[in-house]
Amino acid sequence: MSRTIQFAKAGGPEVLEFVETQVPDPGPHEVRIKVKAIGLNRAESMWRRDKYVEPVTFPAGLGYEAAGLVDGVGKEVTGVAVGDIVSTIPFFSMKKYPIYGEVVIVPDYVVVKHPTSLSFTEAASIWMMFITAYGALVVDAKVTKGDFVIIPAASSSVGLAAVQIANYAGAISIALTRTSEKTNRLLEAGAAHVIATEEQDVVAEVMRITDRKGARVAFDPVGGSNFPKLISALAFEGVVYIYGALDEGAATPIPVLEMIAKMPTVKGYSIRSISGTEASRKASVDYILKGLETGALKPIIDRTFKFDDMVEAHRYLENSGQFGKIVVTV
């Protein structure tokens, strides 16, 4: 038996409830994990409210990132064995494989032996944030030395990962944050430039930083009413990746004349773009592991909660005040 977290209706954090479930033996290509830590993501908040990219079927579990010990393996599983220390990469559906639980089942292809230098808490924090940034900036945009990259919501876990990934690739990061309160922390985390969007003119500052050329890439999880400023801050034929909807209550307008003048590309993005093949999954994991090994990539943990306090952890997640990853220990 395992305590798992489910919800029977869409709503706020209070709809999450603990349920005792019987965890089955893993199927031929499945792995059973005794969970030690869980990384929280905005996707899970949206899933809980039934506002995610796939509809919820109730009762539903949730969660993408776990770290723990292998507790059982299917008969066709190779590469991991009972007792191994592992974490999960988020290349699966929460509908089929939720991981908010003490013991969970996941498909074998998402199980990674993470570096022994990482704690369970750190290992539960790395995959969603680094792979999301890697897929857009490295695989698709192919950012390189001299490229300017605008990163809104830079103090989020993916935002901080994008700063590190941009640096790792030789690009120049321009971190956006609402006020100057987090400016020094963002600079210490590796941002080359920081713009406080409620205190400074974003477009003017980007143009100043880039010698009036604009940024080649923007990596946006916000959308909403400020989106046209990103278009204005781009270089000619630049690209905006929009991978979230933090400003989900507002429409996201398209500035037609700026679009005509700058001829940008606007792309919806998710890590599904690199999850489809074994080769692309392996390449993403290898890239992140190498970055962790060299120290170019480092997990940044904002706060940890106990498993019993998952409701409070979700409330904290939705306050949008964190600097880095929120992790729940089990």
Side-chain angles (χ1 to χ4, degrees), residues 22-35:
Q22 182 69 47
V23 182
D25 291 333
H29 288 281
E30 293 179 331
V31 176
R32 189 172 60 211
I33 298 173
K34 186 175 182 180
V35 175

Side-chain angles (χ1 to χ4, degrees), residues 253-266:
I254 296 294
V256 175
L257 293 180
E258 286 279 18
M259 296 286 287
I260 294 170
K262 297 218 167 180
M263 295 175 58
T265 299
V266 178

Side-chain angles (χ1 to χ4, degrees), residues 271-308:
I271 60 173
R272 288 180 296 171
S273 68
I274 57 171
S275 67
T277 69
E278 182 179 355
S280 61
R281 292 192 297 267
K282 183 179 185 302
S284 65
V285 171
D286 288 348
Y287 186 94
I288 303 310
L289 290 177
K290 183 178 179 182
L292 291 166
E293 180 183 346
T294 63
L297 305 181
K298 299 176 182 179
I300 298 177
I301 310 297
D302 174 83
R303 184 174 171 184
T304 60
F305 289 81
K306 297 293 186 183
F307 189 54
D308 286 342

Side-chain angles (χ1 to χ4, degrees), residues 16-66:
L16 299 176
E17 56 186 357
F18 290 92
V19 178
E20 289 283 343
T21 59
Q22 182 69 47
V23 182
D25 291 333
H29 288 281
E30 293 179 331
V31 176
R32 189 172 60 211
I33 298 173
K34 186 175 182 180
V35 175
K36 296 295 185 181
I38 299 166
L40 302 195
N41 297 285
R42 274 285 179 174
E44 291 135 36
S45 168
M46 296 175 72
W47 174 254
R48 191 199 68 233
R49 291 179 287 118
D50 199 11
K51 294 183 179 294
Y52 196 46
V53 293
E54 60 178 322
V56 177
T57 301
F58 300 108
L62 68 172
Y64 276 123
E65 292 182 281

Side-chain angles (χ1 to χ4, degrees), residues 64-300:
Y64 276 123
E65 292 182 281
L69 299 169
V70 174
D71 184 62
V73 297
K75 61 183 180 180
E76 301 295 331
V77 172
T78 60
V80 295
V82 173
D84 283 347
I85 297 172
V86 297
S87 50
T88 60
I89 52 177
F91 290 157
F92 55 91
S93 168
M94 286 186 281
K95 183 175 289 189
K96 187 172 182 180
Y97 291 106
I99 57 87
Y100 280 18
E102 295 171 327
V103 180
V104 300
I105 298 282
V106 294
D108 59 357
Y109 67 87
V110 307
V111 178
V112 176
K113 292 181 183 178
H114 59 256
T116 56
S117 60
L118 297 182
S119 66
F120 286 119
T121 297
E122 290 171 327
S125 77
I126 57 176
W127 296 115
M128 178 68 87
M129 65 183 191
F130 283 128
I131 290 180
T132 300
Y134 158 85
L137 301 183
V138 176
V139 176
D140 200 272
K142 296 178 174 57
V143 297
T144 189
K145 184 176 180 180
D147 284 340
F148 286 92
V149 181
I150 301 172
I151 303 169
S155 61
S156 68
S157 59
V158 177
L160 290 166
V163 168
Q164 294 186 39
I165 291 286
N167 292 346
Y168 190 23
I172 304 162
S173 54
I174 303 174
L176 305 189
T177 184
R178 284 177 292 181
T179 71
S180 55
E181 179 184 358
K182 296 177 180 177
T183 294
N184 287 338
R185 294 180 72 186
L186 286 166
L187 291 170
E188 290 169 0
H193 304 274
V194 179
I195 300 172
T197 60
E198 294 178 1
E199 302 170 13
Q200 297 172 280
D201 184 320
V202 173
V203 178
E205 283 298 299
V206 170
M207 290 303 167
R208 179 186 64 80
I209 290 166
T210 63
D211 195 24
R212 303 212 57 79
K213 295 176 183 176
R216 189 170 80 80
V217 177
F219 185 53
D220 182 34
V222 182
S225 58
N226 285 324
F227 185 75
K229 294 179 182 179
L230 295 182
I231 301 296
S232 297
L234 284 182
F236 181 70
E237 294 186 336
V239 57
V240 177
Y241 296 89
I242 186 158
Y243 69 95
L246 292 179
D247 194 5
E248 62 183 271
T252 300
I254 296 294
V256 175
L257 293 180
E258 286 279 18
M259 296 286 287
I260 294 170
K262 297 218 167 180
M263 295 175 58
T265 299
V266 178
K267 286 189 172 185
Y269 172 77
S270 83
I271 60 173
R272 288 180 296 171
S273 68
I274 57 171
S275 67
T277 69
E278 182 179 355
S280 61
R281 292 192 297 267
K282 183 179 185 302
S284 65
V285 171
D286 288 348
Y287 186 94
I288 303 310
L289 290 177
K290 183 178 179 182
L292 291 166
E293 180 183 346
T294 63
L297 305 181
K298 299 176 182 179
I300 298 177

